[in-house]
Amino acid sequence: MGANRRWPLARRFWFDALILAGMGVWLADTVFSLHHPDGPQGPLWFDVLAILAFTVPLLARRRFPLGALLAVGVAIAAGSFVDARLLSHPFVSFLFGLAICVLFGMRPARLQSVAGLAFTIGVAAIVTLNDPKGKVGDFIFDVVAFSVAWIIGFAVGGKFREVDEARERAARAEREREERARLAVSDERARIARELHDVVGHSVSVMTVQASAVRRTLEPDQEKEREALLVVEQTGREALAEMRRVVGVLRRPEEAPALAPQPSLEHLDRLVESAREAGLPVELRVEGKPEQLSAGVDLTAYRLVQEGLTNALKHARAQQAEVVVRYTDGLVELTVSDDGRGGGDGDKGGHGLVGIRERISVYGGELEAGPRPEGGYRLSAKLPIA
């Protein structure tokens, strides 16, 4: 067995090994000191069985955490009526008493823990009364020692409970994070489905209708042109059918078809105004001469600004933000910056930023996202106009 496997076993069973070692020492001491004036008084067979009854139940404490401790206490109290010196003579018996108090102190239920200490002190009182050499001072010492052991167990149990609670909180947070990621993916799929339906579907429909219209205006002798346009028309219809199938897969079952027009940079004023109404002062600047963008690029640019303002408002807790749209050299450049708590980067941003990065890459654009040197966060992208 390798060292990597021995270490977990040692961590799990070290206390069991101590129990077995203590039991062996107790048995040996009993055999060698039987009938000694200060030793156990026998009979030997009873003392051996009693020691086993005092120790073996502790090995089952994982399966019966409370029952094992109660069984040991009852066995000790009962055994003291036959041979009380068996419990008073060896020091190892006192160590077992301390161990039982520590285990009672570690119980998660406060009432069980306190009742366990009282139960152990009661057992100690019975043993002292049954011991012909028992003294009040010995009992007081046992009470103090057992109480200290119980307090130690209570403190250690509290730490273990804190660790367990922290582990549970971490597991719950991970489950919630996975659920949020799943919902974010679902929302993004639904939004992509809407955009496929409205942007790509509309364009393919126009192409198909125009091809059909042109085919009908051809002269009778233009057979080759007619066949080519017919192929374009049929291919367009097949593409529409396939696209509807993909949209059906992407869209959530409960979502109705999206018929409203998709937003574009023409609606940027309304987006900025809604952010202002939500409490975020936003400055909007448009530089250069606005140019006509394709539907997909236009929508992607709008979504980037929307994502940047949403992050500034909800996550970064910014006090102000700035949106810059610049048309230059066949590109449209968009920058959303804020003075909020800019943490993370483009690769570790939220799920919305992951979707934006995918959108921009589809259109051959570039995206940069990260904290600004002067503080805050910046989301910047370049998209080709053509």
Side-chain angles (χ1 to χ4, degrees), residues 58-352:
L58 292 177
L59 299 175
R61 69 190 183 282
R62 292 186 183 88
R63 187 171 183 180
F64 308 102
L66 186 61
L69 300 179
L70 293 176
V72 171
V74 171
I76 289 174
S80 67
F81 286 96
V82 178
D83 188 358
R85 295 302 303 164
L86 177 64
L87 294 158
S88 303
H89 169 63
F91 182 69
V92 68
S93 65
F94 178 69
L95 294 180
F96 270 96
L98 295 178
I100 292 171
C101 288
V102 170
L103 293 175
F104 268 126
M106 294 176 65
R107 293 296 303 150
R110 182 73 59 87
L111 181 61
Q112 287 184 5
S113 182
V114 175
L117 175 62
F119 171 75
T120 307
I121 292 175
V123 171
I126 293 174
V127 173
T128 302
L129 289 174
N130 289 332
D131 185 0
K133 296 184 178 182
K135 301 176 182 178
V136 176
D138 295 337
F139 173 69
I140 294 175
F141 176 79
D142 289 344
V143 170
V144 173
F146 290 166
S147 298
V148 171
W150 180 89
I151 291 172
I152 293 174
F154 186 80
V156 172
K159 293 297 182 183
F160 284 163
R161 287 189 290 274
E162 289 178 4
V163 171
D164 291 340
E165 291 172 0
R167 187 180 295 114
E168 175 60 27
R169 286 196 300 270
R172 186 166 56 250
E174 179 64 18
R175 289 193 299 269
E176 292 174 354
R177 187 194 67 80
E178 292 176 355
E179 179 64 16
R180 287 195 300 269
R182 186 187 66 79
L183 291 176
V185 170
S186 178
D187 290 341
E188 187 65 19
R189 283 163 62 98
R191 193 153 66 178
I192 291 172
R194 290 194 299 270
E195 291 165 10
L196 277 174
H197 180 273
D198 294 333
V199 178
V200 181
H202 175 73
S203 299
V204 175
S205 297
V206 170
M207 291 166 55
T208 304
V209 171
Q210 292 294 335
S212 177
V214 172
R215 179 172 59 84
R216 290 183 173 86
T217 63
L218 294 177
E219 299 293 335
D221 59 343
Q222 293 180 292
E223 192 62 34
K224 290 183 179 180
E225 290 82 353
R226 183 177 289 103
E227 290 177 359
L229 288 171
L230 183 60
V231 170
V232 172
E233 186 180 342
Q234 291 174 343
T235 303
R237 289 197 177 98
E238 291 173 0
L240 280 172
E242 182 64 19
M243 192 201 67
R244 290 192 186 99
R245 186 187 68 81
V246 173
V247 167
V249 171
L250 290 174
R251 182 180 290 133
R252 290 175 294 187
E254 70 275 10
E255 186 177 75
L259 300 178
Q262 292 294 330
S264 68
L265 291 182
E266 294 179 359
H267 307 113
L268 211 53
D269 290 336
R270 278 184 282 174
L271 178 63
V272 169
E273 187 60 32
S274 77
R276 291 170 181 162
E277 291 175 357
L280 177 65
V282 181
E283 179 185 353
L284 173 62
R285 297 205 321 268
V286 179
E287 301 177 358
K289 182 181 179 181
E291 299 187 35
Q292 184 66 35
L293 303 177
S294 66
V297 172
D298 204 0
L299 179 60
T300 298
Y302 179 90
R303 293 300 187 202
L304 179 133
V305 176
Q306 184 182 44
E307 178 68 19
L309 292 179
T310 300
N311 287 338
L313 187 63
K314 292 186 177 180
H315 307 303
R317 297 181 182 177
Q319 300 301 313
Q320 63 180 38
E322 181 184 52
V323 177
V324 179
V325 181
R326 182 181 298 109
Y327 296 88
T328 175
D329 298 330
L331 297 173
V332 56
E333 299 179 4
L334 305 110
T335 302
V336 183
S337 54
D338 63 67
D339 61 352
R341 300 180 304 177
D345 52 49
D347 293 328
K348 297 180 181 179
H351 303 293

